[in-house]
Amino acid sequence: MLNIPNEKVRGHQRVPSDTKEFHEATKRDALMRLKKDLDHLLETVEDSRKNGVQREMCGFEALYHRFLQEDGPSVEWDRIEKLPEGAVKDYSTLKLPQEAHIRDMLDKLVVVKLNGGLGTSMGCHGPKSVIPVRNDLTFLDLTVQQIEHLNKKYNANVPLVLMNSFNTDVDTEKVIRKYKGFQVQIYTFNQSCYPRISRDSLLPIAKDFDIENDIEAWYPPGHGDFYQAFQNSGLLRKFIEEGREYCFLSNIDNLGATVDIKILNRLIGDDKQGDKPIEFVMEVTDKTRADVKGGTLINYENKLRLLEIAQVPKEHVDDFKSVKTFKFFNTNNIWARLESIERVLNAKTMNMEIIVNNKTLDNGMRVIQLETAVGAAMKCFDGGIGINVPRSRFLPVKKTSDLLLVMSNLYSLKYGSLVMSPQRMFPTTPLVKLGDNHFSKVKEFLSRFANIPDLIELDHLTVSGDVTFGRGVSLRGTVIIIANHGDRIDIPAGAILENKIVSGNMRILDH
């Protein structure tokens, strides 16, 4: 039998750590380790780029710090209030300015297009903005045409600013050389380039700043990065010094987002009301069942703000999608006062909700991207309003089904802008669903149409499977065409399909 002296047994005593303290310590540790990693990364940057990269990494560190701080949902559902009277103005109440004032108003405007996206989801290489969408003209061609037309018509000088990402910058710079002779000054700047972080260690997966050699380790942090990157580029200050007052910002793939004289008039023209300037305008439009996932405007803590589906607690997702509860959704067409952007940035009060984007890389590594959305900055400004605009100002081309609409006879092209055909009886666009397997890539999509069908009287189209369309086809009402696996359907030239379901196998053989 062991004889143990009558003394206290010394051991490793564990004091139960308070959960909050534990989390705080973990966060402090994560932040310290991140700073160390960023310092190591910065040592690999060549001297000529060091200052710019350092500034970007400060932005990343601030975003990461906020990511660590955020506990629980950014919005408490029960504290969402009804939109106050007049918070969302109806577009139909806006007035046109006197012709004589338009030039002065335009000279106070800067047009910004978000041009960071690639066309990979539609099977294209390079920037999405160089995909041909109509008459062999690309998104970028149409944008330049629109602004040149404004400048010529009113003898104005509205500049076009493209926010590129490291994915689109080189290709875009090559493309814009062809616009040298146009009456449009084009500026470009890059949004930030942030390191992806491992979901396990919460540390950057990049080993050095050789981005091209390890492109998977880096990402552009969403369009909410616009404000900081715009200031970092020097363009924000430059335009303020030139006497410009507002920027109009939109996605380059939204073909409805043209400069609107009535909205500009509301901000700086005859229709301006009161002494206090409007600092921020979000264009919203009526929600339909096709838009249930789009961000919406809410009143929260006496401020208008953007609510995205990612911020909604699971048990309230159905409420969020309800067309009755939330009537509008955000088009991502934003008007913001330049001096106000500078003020908010300098005061360091630009605290947009963080979108945590989980991804799995090709090698199986799980990573996190920290992103922000440009509209989420609304709550950081004073005197923000929503404007309920017609659906024609929201024509995004995200999929080939959208491309089918904008290439069709539903629209005609006028100075780079798409105009809905007067023959269309109602202002809404048809709902189109094309099967992913045969239609998702632009090249294959185009090969399935001898020419784009007549869609003037179409309400709803669903196409699935191996289907081709002959020349001069008309689609009306609700049309559903389904070729099951192994079957093929060829819609003959000149066919008129009205409220029809076509399924099975239908081959047209050459005689």
Side-chain angles (χ1 to χ4, degrees), residues 308-323:
E308 299 273 13
I309 194 163
Q311 296 162 254
V312 177
K314 281 192 176 65
E315 65 272 23
H316 290 292
V317 165
D318 286 344
D319 301 333
F320 175 82
K321 289 180 174 180
S322 153
V323 180

Side-chain angles (χ1 to χ4, degrees), residues 363-500:
N363 63 6
M365 185 185 281
R366 302 182 317 149
V367 295
I368 291 173
Q369 293 181 183
L370 303 179
E371 302 174 10
T372 54
V374 71
M378 187 175 204
K379 63 175 185 183
C380 310
F381 291 87
D382 297 327
I385 61 166
I387 294 181
N388 184 17
V389 296
R391 187 72 185 206
S392 56
R393 289 192 58 74
F394 184 67
L395 273 182
V397 180
K398 303 288 182 198
K399 297 177 173 177
T400 51
S401 50
D402 304 319
L403 203 51
L404 180 70
L405 296 176
V406 300
M407 292 175 87
S408 77
N409 61 344
L410 280 171
Y411 297 100
S412 57
L413 204 53
K414 199 174 176 190
Y415 307 117
S417 298
L418 290 182
V419 182
M420 176 79 80
S421 165
Q423 289 174 280
R424 176 102 177 142
M425 298 301 284
F426 19 83
T428 55
T429 48
L431 194 60
V432 174
K433 293 176 184 172
L434 302 178
D436 283 345
N437 290 346
H438 295 82
F439 287 87
S440 64
K441 307 291 183 236
V442 172
K443 197 174 170 189
E444 192 179 9
F445 158 82
L446 291 173
S447 73
R448 294 188 167 272
F449 295 92
N451 67 353
I452 301 295
D454 167 3
L455 306 183
I456 288 286
E457 293 178 41
L458 179 70
D459 297 328
H460 181 123
L461 172 67
T462 296
V463 182
S464 177
D466 186 357
V467 179
T468 64
F469 292 80
R471 191 165 286 280
V473 171
S474 281
L475 304 173
R476 300 171 186 173
T478 297
V479 178
I480 298 169
I481 306 168
I482 302 202
N484 294 321
H485 185 67
D487 291 346
R488 175 170 154 185
I489 295 175
D490 296 328
I491 303 296
I496 297 171
L497 300 181
E498 183 166 3
N499 297 323
K500 283 271 185 295

Side-chain angles (χ1 to χ4, degrees), residues 13 15 47 119 171 183 196 205 217 241 269 324 422 428 445 472:
Q13 281 192 308
V15 178
D47 289 346
D171 289 335
Q183 200 177 316
R196 283 175 164 155
I205 61 169
E241 284 170 6
K324 284 197 185 96
T428 55
F445 158 82

Side-chain angles (χ1 to χ4, degrees), residues 111 113 128-150 160 162 175 178-179 182 184 186 251-259 395 397 403 406-407 411-419:
V111 172
K113 292 286 179 182
K128 189 174 181 184
S129 56
V130 299
I131 297 175
V133 283
R134 180 93 193 197
N135 303 3
D136 277 335
L137 297 170
T138 66
F139 291 104
L140 202 45
D141 293 337
L142 296 175
T143 301
V144 171
Q145 275 192 13
Q146 290 164 15
I147 296 175
E148 187 188 47
H149 171 63
L150 266 184
L160 170 63
L162 301 172
V175 170
K178 71 176 180 181
Y179 305 121
F182 286 68
V184 183
I186 302 177
N251 297 7
I252 197 148
D253 64 8
N254 178 5
L255 294 173
T258 56
V259 171
L395 273 182
V397 180
L403 203 51
V406 300
M407 292 175 87
Y411 297 100
S412 57
L413 204 53
K414 199 174 176 190
Y415 307 117
S417 298
L418 290 182
V419 182

Side-chain angles (χ1 to χ4, degrees), residues 24 45-46 68 87 105-106 114 122 151 164 197 226 231 296 339 356 362 375 409 414 461 472 474 481 507:
E24 287 304 318
V45 181
E46 62 232 39
L68 293 178
M105 284 162 44
L106 288 172
L114 303 170
M122 292 167 77
N151 286 340
N164 301 332
I197 54 180
F226 158 72
Q231 187 181 47
T296 192
E339 284 190 346
V356 179
D362 291 344
N409 61 344
K414 199 174 176 190
L461 172 67
S474 281
I481 306 168
R507 300 289 295 272

